[in-house]
Amino acid sequence: MTDYINSRERFRNAKVRAIATHKFAVGAHVVHQASVRSGRESFKVTRHLPDGGQGLQYRIRADRDGQERVVVESALERAT
């Protein structure tokens, strides 16, 4: 009987982890600035990628020349 009570207590006390979700949807237009010297470019989100240790990642394609990149979510802004 004690094992049953202990397992119930463990379940009650278990912490619920929040699963991070992507901020930008696939197909959304975003702005990314690769470096301080480069200008801000417009991209389209083509795929969601998992957390690579620095945050959620996206695969994006440049509107101008079609070049693709993988970037972290913190490096993107919503296009206006």
Side-chain angles (χ1 to χ4, degrees), residues 47-61:
R47 186 172 176 194
H48 289 155
L49 300 172
D51 187 347
Q54 297 177 337
L56 294 173
Q57 298 179 342
Y58 295 86
R59 184 157 184 100
I60 57 176
R61 180 186 307 252

Side-chain angles (χ1 to χ4, degrees), residues 36-74:
V36 177
R37 290 185 180 194
S38 69
R40 295 164 43 103
E41 291 186 53
S42 178
F43 290 84
K44 183 177 181 180
V45 175
T46 58
R47 186 172 176 194
H48 289 155
L49 300 172
D51 187 347
Q54 297 177 337
L56 294 173
Q57 298 179 342
Y58 295 86
R59 184 157 184 100
I60 57 176
R61 180 186 307 252
D63 291 338
R64 183 174 47 98
D65 60 3
Q67 180 184 9
E68 292 195 7
R69 299 179 181 180
V70 173
V71 295
V72 292
E73 186 172 82
S74 60

